[in-house]
Amino acid sequence: TVYVSYVTEGSPAESAGIRPGDKIVEINGESVSDMDSDTVANKIRGPQGTSVDILVYRQSDNENHSFTIKRDIIYKA
C-alpha cells in the first residue's frame, strides 16, 4: 500500500487535486497493490509533457478519484 505523503506546492499533482493521505490504487490502469513505493514513484515519473493516469482512494469521502496528470519538471525550494 502506497500513500501520498506530501504534495509539492505548484506541482502537477497539486494542480490536478492529489492530496496528502491519498492511497494510490492504480497507475495507467495497473494495480499497485504488489508494488513498493520506489516502483510506484518510478511509474509516475516520466518525460516532461507526457501524461499519467492515477487512481487514488480518499478516506475522507470513502471514494476513488481518477486524475490525469501532465508531467513536468518539479522545482523544490
Side-chain angles (χ1 to χ4, degrees):
T1 303
V2 177
Y3 290 89
V4 176
S5 57
Y6 67 91
V7 179
T8 302
E9 186 176 338
S11 69
E14 182 189 51
S15 297
I18 300 282
R19 299 180 188 167
D22 286 349
K23 176 183 170 183
I24 300 174
V25 178
E26 293 180 354
I27 301 169
N28 289 330
E30 181 182 2
S31 172
V32 302
S33 62
D34 294 330
M35 296 180 196
D36 63 25
S37 59
D38 288 335
T39 302
V40 170
N42 286 332
K43 287 188 172 287
I44 292 172
R45 292 184 184 111
Q48 181 181 10
T50 62
S51 294
V52 61
D53 295 321
I54 299 176
L55 181 69
V56 302
Y57 169 78
R58 189 167 290 156
Q59 188 173 3
S60 63
D61 63 8
N62 200 31
E63 297 279 337
N64 284 334
H65 298 265
S66 181
F67 300 95
T68 298
I69 299 173
K70 186 174 179 182
R71 296 172 173 126
D72 203 353
I73 296 172
I74 299 172
Y75 299 97
K76 293 183 180 180

